[in-house]
Amino acid sequence: MIIKLKNSTTEAEKQHLIEWAEKQGVSVCTVTGTMDTLLGFIGDTAHIDMEQLEAMHIVDAVKRIQAPYKRASRNFHPEDTVITVGDAVIGGKEPVIIAGPCSVESEEQICGVAMDVKKSGAKILRGGAFKPRTSPYSFQGLRADGIKLLLEAKKESGLPIVTEIMDISQLPLFDDVDIIQVGARNMQNFELLKELGKTEKPILLKRGLSSTLEELLMSAEYIMSGGNEQVILCERGIRTFETATRNTLDLSCIPVLQSLSHLPVIVDPSHATGKADLVAPMSRAAIAAGADGLIIEVHNNPACALCDGQQSLTPAAFDELKKSIDKVAAALC
Amino acid sequence: MIIKLKNSTTEAEKQHLIEWAEKQGVSVCTVTGTMDTLLGFIGDTAHIDMEQLEAMHIVDAVKRIQAPYKRASRNFHPEDTVITVGDAVIGGKEPVIIAGPCSVESEEQICGVAMDVKKSGAKILRGGAFKPRTSPYSFQGLRADGIKLLLEAKKESGLPIVTEIMDISQLPLFDDVDIIQVGARNMQNFELLKELGKTEKPILLKRGLSSTLEELLMSAEYIMSGGNEQVILCERGIRTFETATRNTLDLSCIPVLQSLSHLPVIVDPSHATGKADLVAPMSRAAIAAGADGLIIEVHNNPACALCDGQQSLTPAAFDELKKSIDKVAAALC
Amino acid sequence: MIIKLKNSTTEAEKQHLIEWAEKQGVSVCTVTGTMDTLLGFIGDTAHIDMEQLEAMHIVDAVKRIQAPYKRASRNFHPEDTVITVGDAVIGGKEPVIIAGPCSVESEEQICGVAMDVKKSGAKILRGGAFKPRTSPYSFQGLRADGIKLLLEAKKESGLPIVTEIMDISQLPLFDDVDIIQVGARNMQNFELLKELGKTEKPILLKRGLSSTLEELLMSAEYIMSGGNEQVILCERGIRTFETATRNTLDLSCIPVLQSLSHLPVIVDPSHATGKADLVAPMSRAAIAAGADGLIIEVHNNPACALCDGQQSLTPAAFDELKKSIDKVAAALC
Amino acid sequence: MIIKLKNSTTEAEKQHLIEWAEKQGVSVCTVTGTMDTLLGFIGDTAHIDMEQLEAMHIVDAVKRIQAPYKRASRNFHPEDTVITVGDAVIGGKEPVIIAGPCSVESEEQICGVAMDVKKSGAKILRGGAFKPRTSPYSFQGLRADGIKLLLEAKKESGLPIVTEIMDISQLPLFDDVDIIQVGARNMQNFELLKELGKTEKPILLKRGLSSTLEELLMSAEYIMSGGNEQVILCERGIRTFETATRNTLDLSCIPVLQSLSHLPVIVDPSHATGKADLVAPMSRAAIAAGADGLIIEVHNNPACALCDGQQSLTPAAFDELKKSIDKVAAALC
């Protein structure tokens, strides 16, 4: 961490700041130039509050050189984190495919899709019970009943399940859920993250619509600092000025996150693009960029889906896509 | 709502869609051109799920012409909403000033600041008890104790108080709080919004960092559809590519929101800019743009503030600012 | 094109507008509902000025349903455009690889890199003579001398060349250049685009940092409306709030552009990411997403490159990348 | 400038880099910590190419602490730049108002508007002769004839004129133009900027749609480094995700630019918002934020304007606005 002092700083003020820093456990080096005085804070600066520093009247600018996260950082944990759920391995050699409908609608629907996607090679079933919808007038999900139906589908298909939590109070319903998803809109719901840090379940953490990668890793750090180190990062498109797609899928984040962190990185091409036609090319691109997996919407009757039907694949289209994904994955070996 | 059909649509398919729409309570007009067939849905389309329509295989494009919100809309409620809390009137003729520290730190601090800002003309006291911080290692607020100290300051100063809620479970602590704030990161925490819709307290709803004005109004609609119509909208800067300021304060949103909605609109220049030097010019600009009020950070010792000190004004600077705000407000009459 | 009239519109005003539209060659259908009156303009609306319409005092809103471009649109030109330059085919079955240094620095450098990338399978040589640099104090390129060196390298290697033009006055120097590049900062330099529309050379048109896909296609339309239909579209990253990469590479634009337009789409992973480490995964991802080609920076000594060295590959790294690209391309067949 | 070295750096490599830096005229201080080695470059670092540094294989990260511009910087030129054109003073005590139509359409129109806005208190006449339009099918301006009409209006009204240049080749036509405008799309047309740096006319430089304030100042530096120090900076809205306004007017940039630079800062509320209704509140807000002036579109018949009519004020509305602006300006004294 580099601190540039204002030219008006007195020697006494500078010494006072140096002592403050040393109390926080870092050592300080001073660089005095013709125009500027710089202080270098050396050691573990993750706990130093940058904004507090910036507020001091003698400080002109602060630049962080180390990342503000530790448990999520590859520097402190060089080996890849591998998460195992049932037969599925996330962060291992092969990309893992998660598939299922946007919303759970009926036993017939969820069990049917589960069997279909399993046959095509999906390893985990997804399905929404609690649905975050922009409008209070849109379908909000089957909620507790949706979880029950998912558990039915789990029993029938043998696939582990992932579904989204929207509030701490829903946690008791997630006892038999295998992976708990935190949606993009809750990525900085810090109270929820803290609570999930106390559980022992893998957390699928979606990147917020306007969250930087550093903020995503800080949210992972919230969960991990509570003791739960099983976090799966998920890119699902960011908000930009472009309106041709619902969001802009940021595939460069895959190699960037993999270099900054040891956590697995998966991609949601369905929500990112919002259009079924784009799911296949973006799935192949994500795998080619090195993603550890994909989470894809599949519905047995997309035109009647109660939400997000326009971005869902039919089971047949998913089956075809899975084959082409396998070919791209093989080409990378 | 206008629906453009694909050229391949059969007459039977078109009739099927028209019947579907009529069942939802809208009337349908057909426009058949040389190249395109368009359907116009006329009537109350707020309840129609655009995404479900877009998913239908005969539909090429859907354009909404009416706003998707109703209770928040000026069309359905032409008069300004005026909210009264103690002596403070929000949405009335004069802009209301809310002031106080980012975080509540001690009784001495919060009571001191309360008396100071009251003397300068602030009508409501702000102060954070639950603090959403990007890092789990940063100060998280005094929490329940912070609320108690705020209530002390309320008693001592006579000012009504506003403070942020971060989770439904905290609601019982807010019994004597006058206005409940929903922070930018929780603007789309829909479970929380629904719960607040059941209370009878005014809600100060901050715009999310990357939320459109339509999304902000939809979040207000969540609260209002639960029965609580006392919502105060708050612009606090949006996320853009620019890094010279913490966020980009979008002052055009004031006249835009005031034309779309009857709800009062206030501005938070402290969080938007992140720099004390910018608070005064941006406060004056917000008032000149027609804002119904301001929420400003004031700390009796900004350099030692436990969070966001760099954007806080001293009581003296606030006093001076209040005078210049009054002059700008007077110039508008 | 759909026009929503204000409720205050009189019958005479409506008739006046309908006549105005019919004079512009479109037919008009009227939809009268309980709350709104809508007009549908049917036929070729590309020449109608939306903003002029929106300015009319009886008009509440205008929604375009057809694209505002024609020559660039796949609707009017269903077959893919294929551009042939020497042995290189752009928009054909196989992706074409363009490679070379950011800046031309010396005969030895450009000829050496040309022979290297040719051996690895590049079909076109790139190299900057005129360099758009943010700072007036940065190296501005060898300019006319750079073009001469590129022509040397073309003669020696047999590779066709592409290089950037920055101003109309430079055009005479481009007589023997095979493809003229328009940089991102000049994508809306309309005077330059018009002039290039009069040439008979293929134009490589880079997307501006904050240009929508529609604006990119409108800039292609500028060139094409002048008579030059050989336009190659190039995605090179857009500007977003994320700072972990120089720009955000928008790979979804590949399938979107290919569906909207018949023009070939290539990707520049070097400028988009700004980091050599990210070039390989993003190149593979672009190919997997269906790109018609790549333009990649290769320098024989990246650490000493006069500009953008940090994003350049060595010839050896490029050779390895080309092999892995070929594998991904083969996996798509 | 701070350089963080990779842990693998040898002593010899470090010495080599230090010598390289010293040759460029800066002195170097070394900070060796337990985990990192940092170099501080002290002195005038504006000429050092950050990207070249970042490309070096021993360099992990580079952070600039000084601004990369000099002539535009307030550090090197503490007094405000004041530009005088005819009776107009830009950057002086009173805000200057520039007004006129988007496009010059006829002698009657431009002379009529000139007399109207002069009467209301505008000090400079604006009007577009060369028009940058997204579509090649839209009206492109009267071009050379437009300049002639503007000069007529200048003669008749006595107001100095400002109009936009789109290409170097148009420069001879600007001999009698008082201020040359560079549009947002040409803010990084570096060849044009260099040429304007050789003229002796004030340049009104508009911020690009996605340009940072640093980039805007670097473009000013291009002009100033050629010898022309009369640059007026103009904020006209930036591109964000929000679609309720055409662009997002970034008023915080006014105090930020005024603290970084000595150049005057004016605001264009017409293009930023795209809607006449928003021009008045945003004009007042800009003045309250401290702007040195405004450039406002006024048309004697907005509904028939050949471009951008929807954002133009009538002369009567402008007259009323001018009075309210004066009141806000007076309130700031």
Side-chain angles (χ1 to χ4, degrees):
Chain A
M1 196 177 262
I2 300 294
I3 289 84
K4 186 181 171 198
L5 299 181
K6 288 190 184 153
N7 291 339
S8 55
T9 310
T10 65
E11 185 59 27
E13 287 171 327
K14 193 180 75 180
Q15 283 310 321
H16 186 73
L17 175 56
I18 290 173
E19 281 160 30
W20 176 89
E22 286 172 346
K23 261 186 225 150
Q24 312 223 10
V26 299
S27 54
V28 180
C29 295
T30 309
V31 178
T32 310
T34 46
M35 295 174 62
D36 309 313
T37 298
L38 306 177
L39 302 182
F41 287 6
I42 301 196
D44 177 9
T45 59
H47 293 70
I48 290 192
D49 195 328
M50 238 177 110
E51 293 179 352
Q52 196 180 351
L53 259 175
E54 286 174 331
M56 297 179 183
H57 72 280
I58 61 170
V59 171
D60 193 34
V62 180
K63 302 263 177 187
R64 200 181 263 291
I65 284 175
Q66 272 182 356
Y69 44 85
K70 287 184 66 172
R71 288 166 186 260
S73 165
R74 196 175 276 281
N75 283 344
F76 293 87
H77 185 312
E79 309 79 35
D80 286 351
T81 283
V82 177
I83 294 171
T84 303
V85 185
D87 289 345
V89 178
I90 307 162
K93 281 178 197 158
E94 282 172 37
V96 68
I97 310 299
I98 306 170
C102 181
S103 293
V104 179
E105 294 167 19
S106 69
E107 186 176 340
E108 191 194 348
Q109 172 238 22
I110 187 69
C111 293
V113 173
M115 296 310 292
D116 282 337
V117 300
K118 187 186 182 182
K119 215 168 53 187
S120 300
K123 295 290 185 209
I124 303 173
L125 177 67
R126 59 151 291 156
F130 297 97
K131 298 300 306 172
R133 303 299 306 276
T134 307
S135 168
Y137 309 123
S138 295
F139 173 60
Q140 308 273 318
L142 294 182
R143 304 177 71 87
D145 289 341
I147 304 271
K148 278 185 211 149
L149 294 180
L150 270 174
L151 293 174
E152 277 303 311
K154 174 183 174 175
K155 208 161 80 184
E156 214 166 291
S157 67
L159 291 177
I161 57 173
V162 57
T163 193
E164 180 169 352
I165 193 167
M166 283 178 66
D167 188 75
I168 294 175
S169 60
Q170 297 158 355
L171 201 48
L173 296 168
F174 283 68
D175 272 356
D176 298 317
V177 167
D178 300 280
I179 304 176
I180 303 178
Q181 177 177 316
V182 176
R185 286 171 187 76
N186 277 315
M187 193 201 87
Q188 293 194 318
N189 183 335
F190 300 120
E191 300 297 309
L192 179 60
L193 298 179
K194 284 185 213 169
E195 215 57 38
L196 295 175
K198 298 177 194 160
T199 70
E200 294 184 351
K201 287 183 188 297
I203 308 298
L204 193 163
L205 179 65
K206 288 200 159 184
R207 181 183 184 184
L209 266 79
S210 67
S211 297
T212 62
L213 298 183
E214 186 171 299
E215 287 169 342
L216 173 60
L217 290 168
M218 289 308 284
S219 286
E221 190 85 3
Y222 256 97
I223 298 166
M224 298 170 87
S225 69
N228 181 357
E229 305 235 330
Q230 298 192 83
V231 179
I232 303 157
L233 306 172
C234 181
E235 158 67 18
R236 45 80 73 224
I238 57 174
R239 183 157 273 184
T240 69
F241 61 83
E242 179 59 68
T243 55
T245 42
R246 189 190 294 170
N247 297 117
T248 297
L249 186 62
D250 176 16
L251 291 182
S252 320
C253 84
I254 302 168
V256 172
L257 285 171
Q258 288 170 340
S259 100
L260 296 172
S261 177
H262 50 90
L263 297 171
V265 182
I266 70 169
V267 170
D268 176 347
S270 306
H271 282 89
T273 62
K275 290 180 183 166
D277 290 351
L278 301 178
V279 171
M282 288 303 103
S283 294
R284 289 188 284 262
I287 294 299
D292 293 303
L294 297 170
I295 178 163
I296 296 176
E297 285 193 12
V298 178
H299 195 283
N300 45 12
N301 189 358
C304 295
L306 289 176
C307 80
D308 282 345
Q310 63 169 334
Q311 73 204 26
S312 290
L313 301 184
T314 59
F318 174 70
D319 190 65
E320 204 178 326
L321 171 57
K322 178 64 172 64
K323 285 177 189 139
S324 79
I325 288 169
D326 289 347
K327 281 205 226 169
V328 172
L332 298 181
C333 296
Chain B
M1 195 177 266
I2 300 295
I3 289 86
K4 186 182 170 200
L5 299 182
K6 287 188 186 156
N7 291 339
S8 56
T9 309
T10 65
E11 185 59 29
E13 287 171 327
K14 194 180 74 181
Q15 283 309 324
H16 187 74
L17 176 56
I18 290 173
E19 281 160 30
W20 176 89
E22 287 173 345
K23 261 186 226 149
Q24 312 224 11
V26 299
S27 53
V28 181
C29 295
T30 310
V31 178
T32 310
T34 46
M35 296 174 64
D36 309 313
T37 298
L38 306 177
L39 302 182
F41 286 6
I42 301 195
D44 177 8
T45 59
H47 293 69
I48 291 192
D49 196 327
M50 237 177 113
E51 293 179 353
Q52 196 179 350
L53 259 176
E54 285 173 332
M56 297 179 184
H57 72 279
I58 62 169
V59 171
D60 194 33
V62 181
K63 303 262 177 190
R64 202 182 262 290
I65 283 176
Q66 272 181 358
Y69 43 85
K70 287 184 65 172
R71 287 166 187 261
S73 166
R74 197 175 275 280
N75 283 343
F76 293 86
H77 186 312
E79 310 78 35
D80 286 351
T81 284
V82 177
I83 296 172
T84 304
V85 184
D87 289 345
V89 178
I90 308 164
K93 281 179 198 160
E94 283 173 36
V96 68
I97 310 299
I98 306 170
C102 181
S103 293
V104 179
E105 293 166 20
S106 69
E107 186 175 339
E108 191 194 349
Q109 172 239 23
I110 188 69
C111 292
V113 173
M115 296 310 293
D116 282 338
V117 300
K118 185 185 183 182
K119 214 169 53 189
S120 300
K123 294 290 184 210
I124 302 173
L125 177 67
R126 58 150 292 156
F130 297 97
K131 298 299 306 171
R133 303 299 306 275
T134 307
S135 168
Y137 309 123
S138 295
F139 173 61
Q140 308 274 317
L142 293 182
R143 305 177 69 87
D145 288 342
I147 303 271
K148 279 185 212 147
L149 295 179
L150 270 173
L151 293 173
E152 277 303 310
K154 173 183 174 174
K155 208 161 80 183
E156 213 166 291
S157 66
L159 292 178
I161 57 174
V162 56
T163 192
E164 180 170 352
I165 193 168
M166 283 177 66
D167 188 74
I168 294 174
S169 60
Q170 297 159 355
L171 200 48
L173 296 167
F174 283 69
D175 273 356
D176 297 318
V177 167
D178 301 280
I179 304 176
I180 304 179
Q181 177 177 318
V182 176
R185 286 170 187 77
N186 277 315
M187 191 201 88
Q188 294 194 318
N189 184 335
F190 301 120
E191 300 296 308
L192 178 60
L193 299 179
K194 284 185 215 170
E195 215 56 39
L196 295 174
K198 298 176 195 159
T199 70
E200 294 184 351
K201 287 182 187 299
I203 308 298
L204 193 163
L205 179 65
K206 288 199 160 184
R207 180 182 184 185
L209 267 79
S210 66
S211 297
T212 61
L213 298 183
E214 185 171 299
E215 288 170 341
L216 173 60
L217 290 169
M218 289 307 286
S219 286
E221 189 85 4
Y222 256 98
I223 297 166
M224 297 172 87
S225 68
N228 181 355
E229 304 235 332
Q230 297 191 85
V231 179
I232 303 157
L233 306 172
C234 181
E235 159 67 19
R236 44 81 73 224
I238 57 173
R239 183 158 272 183
T240 69
F241 61 84
E242 179 59 69
T243 56
T245 42
R246 190 191 290 170
N247 295 117
T248 297
L249 186 61
D250 176 17
L251 291 182
S252 320
C253 85
I254 302 168
V256 173
L257 285 171
Q258 287 170 340
S259 98
L260 296 173
S261 178
H262 51 89
L263 297 171
V265 182
I266 69 168
V267 171
D268 176 347
S270 305
H271 282 89
T273 62
K275 290 180 183 168
D277 291 352
L278 301 178
V279 171
M282 288 303 103
S283 294
R284 288 188 284 262
I287 293 300
D292 294 302
L294 297 169
I295 177 163
I296 296 176
E297 285 193 12
V298 178
H299 195 283
N300 46 12
N301 189 357
C304 295
L306 289 177
C307 81
D308 283 346
Q310 64 170 333
Q311 73 204 26
S312 289
L313 301 184
T314 59
F318 173 71
D319 190 65
E320 204 178 324
L321 171 58
K322 178 65 172 65
K323 285 177 189 139
S324 77
I325 288 169
D326 289 347
K327 282 206 226 167
V328 173
L332 297 181
C333 296
Chain C
M1 196 177 262
I2 300 294
I3 290 84
K4 185 180 171 200
L5 298 181
K6 288 190 184 154
N7 292 340
S8 55
T9 308
T10 65
E11 184 60 27
E13 286 171 326
K14 193 180 75 178
Q15 283 310 322
H16 186 74
L17 175 56
I18 291 173
E19 282 160 30
W20 176 88
E22 287 173 344
K23 262 186 222 149
Q24 313 223 9
V26 299
S27 52
V28 181
C29 295
T30 310
V31 178
T32 310
T34 47
M35 295 174 63
D36 310 312
T37 298
L38 306 177
L39 302 183
F41 287 6
I42 301 197
D44 176 10
T45 58
H47 294 71
I48 290 192
D49 196 327
M50 239 176 108
E51 294 179 353
Q52 197 180 349
L53 259 175
E54 285 173 332
M56 297 179 183
H57 73 278
I58 61 170
V59 171
D60 194 33
V62 181
K63 302 264 177 188
R64 201 182 263 291
I65 285 176
Q66 273 182 356
Y69 43 85
K70 287 184 67 173
R71 288 167 187 259
S73 165
R74 196 175 275 281
N75 284 344
F76 293 87
H77 185 313
E79 309 80 35
D80 287 350
T81 284
V82 177
I83 294 172
T84 303
V85 184
D87 289 346
V89 178
I90 307 163
K93 283 179 198 160
E94 284 171 36
V96 67
I97 310 300
I98 306 171
C102 182
S103 293
V104 179
E105 293 166 18
S106 68
E107 186 176 339
E108 192 194 347
Q109 173 238 22
I110 188 69
C111 292
V113 173
M115 296 311 293
D116 282 339
V117 300
K118 186 186 182 181
K119 216 168 55 189
S120 299
K123 294 291 185 208
I124 302 173
L125 177 66
R126 60 150 290 155
F130 297 97
K131 298 300 307 172
R133 304 299 305 276
T134 306
S135 167
Y137 310 122
S138 296
F139 173 60
Q140 308 272 317
L142 293 182
R143 306 177 69 88
D145 289 341
I147 303 272
K148 278 185 209 147
L149 294 179
L150 269 173
L151 293 175
E152 277 303 311
K154 174 183 175 175
K155 209 160 82 183
E156 214 168 289
S157 67
L159 291 178
I161 58 175
V162 56
T163 193
E164 180 170 351
I165 194 168
M166 284 177 65
D167 188 76
I168 294 175
S169 60
Q170 297 158 356
L171 199 50
L173 295 167
F174 283 68
D175 272 356
D176 297 318
V177 167
D178 300 282
I179 303 176
I180 303 177
Q181 177 178 315
V182 176
R185 286 172 185 78
N186 277 313
M187 192 202 88
Q188 293 194 319
N189 183 334
F190 300 120
E191 301 295 308
L192 178 60
L193 298 179
K194 284 185 213 169
E195 215 57 39
L196 295 174
K198 298 178 194 160
T199 70
E200 295 185 349
K201 287 183 189 299
I203 308 299
L204 194 164
L205 179 65
K206 289 198 159 184
R207 181 182 184 184
L209 267 79
S210 67
S211 297
T212 62
L213 298 183
E214 185 170 300
E215 288 170 339
L216 173 60
L217 289 169
M218 289 307 284
S219 286
E221 190 85 4
Y222 256 98
I223 298 167
M224 297 171 87
S225 69
N228 181 356
E229 305 234 330
Q230 298 191 84
V231 179
I232 304 157
L233 305 172
C234 181
E235 159 67 18
R236 45 81 72 220
I238 57 173
R239 183 159 274 185
T240 70
F241 60 83
E242 179 59 70
T243 56
T245 42
R246 189 190 293 171
N247 297 115
T248 297
L249 186 61
D250 176 15
L251 291 182
S252 320
C253 84
I254 301 168
V256 173
L257 284 172
Q258 287 170 341
S259 99
L260 295 173
S261 177
H262 50 89
L263 297 171
V265 181
I266 69 170
V267 170
D268 176 347
S270 306
H271 282 89
T273 62
K275 290 181 183 167
D277 290 352
L278 302 178
V279 171
M282 288 303 103
S283 293
R284 288 188 284 262
I287 294 298
D292 294 302
L294 298 169
I295 178 163
I296 296 176
E297 285 193 12
V298 178
H299 195 283
N300 45 13
N301 189 358
C304 294
L306 290 177
C307 82
D308 281 347
Q310 65 170 331
Q311 72 204 27
S312 290
L313 302 184
T314 59
F318 174 70
D319 190 64
E320 205 178 322
L321 171 58
K322 178 63 172 65
K323 284 178 189 138
S324 78
I325 289 170
D326 288 347
K327 282 206 227 166
V328 173
L332 299 181
C333 296
Chain D
M1 194 178 264
I2 300 293
I3 289 85
K4 185 180 170 202
L5 298 181
K6 288 189 183 154
N7 292 340
S8 56
T9 308
T10 65
E11 185 60 28
E13 287 171 327
K14 194 180 76 180
Q15 283 310 322
H16 186 75
L17 175 57
I18 291 173
E19 282 160 29
W20 175 88
E22 288 173 344
K23 261 186 223 149
Q24 312 223 9
V26 300
S27 53
V28 181
C29 295
T30 309
V31 178
T32 310
T34 46
M35 295 174 64
D36 308 312
T37 299
L38 306 177
L39 302 182
F41 286 6
I42 300 196
D44 176 9
T45 58
H47 294 69
I48 290 192
D49 195 328
M50 237 176 110
E51 293 179 353
Q52 196 180 349
L53 258 175
E54 284 174 333
M56 297 178 184
H57 73 279
I58 61 171
V59 170
D60 195 32
V62 180
K63 301 264 178 188
R64 200 182 264 290
I65 284 176
Q66 273 181 357
Y69 43 84
K70 287 183 68 171
R71 287 166 186 259
S73 166
R74 196 175 276 281
N75 284 345
F76 293 87
H77 185 313
E79 310 80 34
D80 286 352
T81 284
V82 178
I83 295 172
T84 303
V85 184
D87 289 346
V89 177
I90 308 162
K93 281 179 199 160
E94 283 172 36
V96 67
I97 309 300
I98 306 171
C102 181
S103 293
V104 179
E105 293 166 19
S106 68
E107 186 175 338
E108 192 194 347
Q109 171 239 23
I110 187 69
C111 293
V113 174
M115 296 310 293
D116 281 339
V117 300
K118 186 184 182 182
K119 215 167 54 187
S120 299
K123 294 289 185 209
I124 303 174
L125 177 67
R126 60 149 291 155
F130 297 97
K131 297 300 306 172
R133 303 299 306 276
T134 307
S135 167
Y137 310 122
S138 295
F139 174 59
Q140 307 274 318
L142 293 182
R143 306 176 70 86
D145 289 341
I147 303 272
K148 278 185 211 148
L149 295 179
L150 270 173
L151 293 174
E152 277 303 311
K154 173 182 175 175
K155 211 161 79 183
E156 214 167 290
S157 66
L159 291 178
I161 57 174
V162 56
T163 192
E164 180 170 352
I165 194 168
M166 284 178 65
D167 188 74
I168 294 175
S169 60
Q170 297 158 355
L171 200 48
L173 296 167
F174 283 68
D175 272 356
D176 297 317
V177 167
D178 300 281
I179 303 177
I180 303 178
Q181 176 177 318
V182 176
R185 286 171 187 77
N186 277 314
M187 192 201 87
Q188 294 194 318
N189 183 335
F190 300 120
E191 301 296 309
L192 179 60
L193 299 179
K194 284 184 214 171
E195 214 58 37
L196 296 174
K198 298 176 195 162
T199 70
E200 294 185 349
K201 286 182 189 299
I203 308 298
L204 193 163
L205 179 65
K206 288 199 158 183
R207 182 183 184 185
L209 267 79
S210 67
S211 297
T212 62
L213 298 183
E214 186 172 300
E215 288 169 341
L216 173 60
L217 290 169
M218 289 307 284
S219 286
E221 190 85 5
Y222 256 97
I223 298 166
M224 298 171 88
S225 69
N228 182 356
E229 305 234 330
Q230 298 191 83
V231 180
I232 303 156
L233 305 172
C234 180
E235 159 66 19
R236 44 82 72 222
I238 58 174
R239 182 159 273 183
T240 69
F241 61 84
E242 179 59 69
T243 56
T245 41
R246 189 190 293 169
N247 297 117
T248 297
L249 187 61
D250 176 16
L251 290 182
S252 320
C253 85
I254 301 168
V256 173
L257 284 172
Q258 287 171 340
S259 100
L260 296 173
S261 177
H262 50 89
L263 297 171
V265 181
I266 70 169
V267 169
D268 175 348
S270 306
H271 282 88
T273 62
K275 290 181 183 167
D277 290 352
L278 302 177
V279 170
M282 288 303 104
S283 293
R284 289 188 284 262
I287 294 300
D292 295 301
L294 297 169
I295 176 163
I296 296 176
E297 284 194 12
V298 178
H299 195 283
N300 44 14
N301 189 357
C304 295
L306 289 176
C307 81
D308 281 347
Q310 64 170 330
Q311 72 202 28
S312 289
L313 301 185
T314 59
F318 174 70
D319 190 65
E320 204 178 326
L321 171 58
K322 178 65 172 65
K323 284 176 189 139
S324 78
I325 287 169
D326 289 347
K327 282 205 226 166
V328 173
L332 299 181
C333 294

